[in-house]
Amino acid sequence: MAIGLRPFKAISFDLDDTLYDNRPIIMTAERRLLSYLAEKHPVTQDWGLDDWQALKRQLIQQAPMLAHDTSAARLATLEQGLMTLGYARKVAAEAAQQALAYFVEQRSDFRVPAEVLALLTRLAESYRLVGITNGNVDAHRIGLGELFEFVLHPGNGTRMKPYPDMFYQACHRLDIDCDQLLHLGDSFKADVQGARRAGCQSAWLNPAVGREPQKNAQGQLPHITCSSLDVLLALID
């Protein structure tokens, strides 16, 4: 179900798993980071992904705002892990910064599919385009730098979707009312509910449309539901 669009002036896009399949990218980046750490810092060789993730959960429990900053959480995890394994704080801090930079480089080591870039280029003829993501991908490296006016990430006091913080920031920077922004994303909770909480319009990218019932009965409905980006273009073009 959906409630229908009203006129809007700008479109914001979630990035991960909306404009590209992020899961294999992250899995590859995680593997490369482990190899990097083992080569640069042999004391980490016995630590696997589960060990690092367990430490991350522990640190977020101690400092909940880390949950709203992907890069800060990873940096804190790397630094604390290296200190746990015997590094002095200063050395661990420097090594963690280098490892974080390596990870962001690896998780941004791809290009948004050409057909998606073509779709965005067409939309940019009629609407202002921006990105609103909970992740830390480098939008310029993946081909979005020239299409999006800006990309917002959480952190430094700005909370992740579904909190409305980044939607408010986007509308302020675009100098538009919140209901003049249409946000498109794949997550019912983060994208649809986040946009609706901020008073923005929402488009839910849900490949299951027409094939199985929608199971998200709670929360506000999206303004439109799309099975693909191509369908979105047909609906708003």
Side-chain angles (χ1 to χ4, degrees):
M1 295 181 62
I3 58 179
L5 286 174
R6 302 187 302 273
F8 55 92
K9 295 181 178 179
I11 307 174
S12 61
F13 290 87
D14 172 54
L15 305 186
D16 296 344
D17 296 317
T18 294
L19 299 182
Y20 48 84
D21 184 2
N22 190 55
R23 182 172 297 180
I25 296 166
I26 286 292
M27 291 177 62
T28 298
E30 294 283 11
R31 288 195 300 268
R32 290 177 180 174
L33 178 60
L34 289 176
S35 296
Y36 168 92
L37 289 170
E39 178 183 350
K40 298 290 186 179
H41 311 289
V43 295
T44 67
Q45 288 180 353
D46 292 334
W47 275 36
L49 184 58
D50 290 344
D51 299 296
W52 289 104
Q53 290 180 338
L55 177 57
K56 178 181 176 182
R57 290 192 295 269
Q58 177 185 333
L59 293 175
I60 289 175
Q61 188 174 21
Q62 296 170 358
M65 279 304 294
L66 283 176
H68 292 283
D69 191 330
T70 302
S71 291
R74 186 174 293 274
L75 181 64
T77 302
L78 288 164
E79 183 174 343
Q80 184 59 54
L82 289 169
M83 286 192 295
T84 299
L85 292 168
Y87 278 52
R89 180 178 295 276
K90 182 177 180 180
V91 177
E94 182 178 349
Q97 288 282 2
Q98 294 170 351
L100 174 63
Y102 177 83
F103 176 80
V104 173
E105 179 181 305
Q106 298 306 309
R107 72 93 67 239
S108 306
D109 186 24
F110 68 97
R111 293 277 295 181
V112 173
E115 60 271 20
V116 175
L117 293 176
L119 169 60
L120 295 175
T121 299
R122 180 172 171 181
L123 288 174
E125 295 174 359
S126 302
Y127 304 99
R128 300 173 69 182
L129 306 184
V130 302
I132 298 179
T133 177
N134 282 346
N136 59 356
V137 71
D138 184 336
H140 290 275
R141 289 197 63 204
I142 66 175
L144 297 174
E146 295 182 0
L147 289 171
F148 287 175
E149 291 187 31
F150 54 84
V151 175
L152 297 179
H153 306 264
N156 297 317
T158 297
R159 297 170 297 179
M160 283 186 169
K161 302 173 292 184
Y163 286 95
D165 305 26
M166 289 189 286
F167 297 101
Y168 291 150
Q169 289 181 17
C171 293
H172 177 73
R173 289 182 61 172
L174 291 165
D175 194 23
I176 60 175
D177 294 333
C178 288
D179 65 356
Q180 294 175 322
L181 177 69
L182 171 65
H183 179 71
L184 171 68
D186 69 296
S187 170
F188 182 84
K189 179 181 179 181
D191 295 305
V192 175
Q193 297 306 294
R196 294 302 310 274
R197 288 181 186 180
C200 303
Q201 300 187 63
S202 64
W204 185 23
L205 181 60
N206 176 18
V209 172
R211 291 191 284 113
E212 63 181 43
Q214 297 174 10
K215 299 176 182 179
N216 296 287
Q218 297 181 345
Q220 300 185 75
L221 293 171
H223 288 77
I224 56 172
T225 299
C226 319
S227 61
S228 69
L229 290 175
D230 289 337
V231 173
L232 172 67
L233 177 60
L235 289 172
I236 68 177
D237 196 25

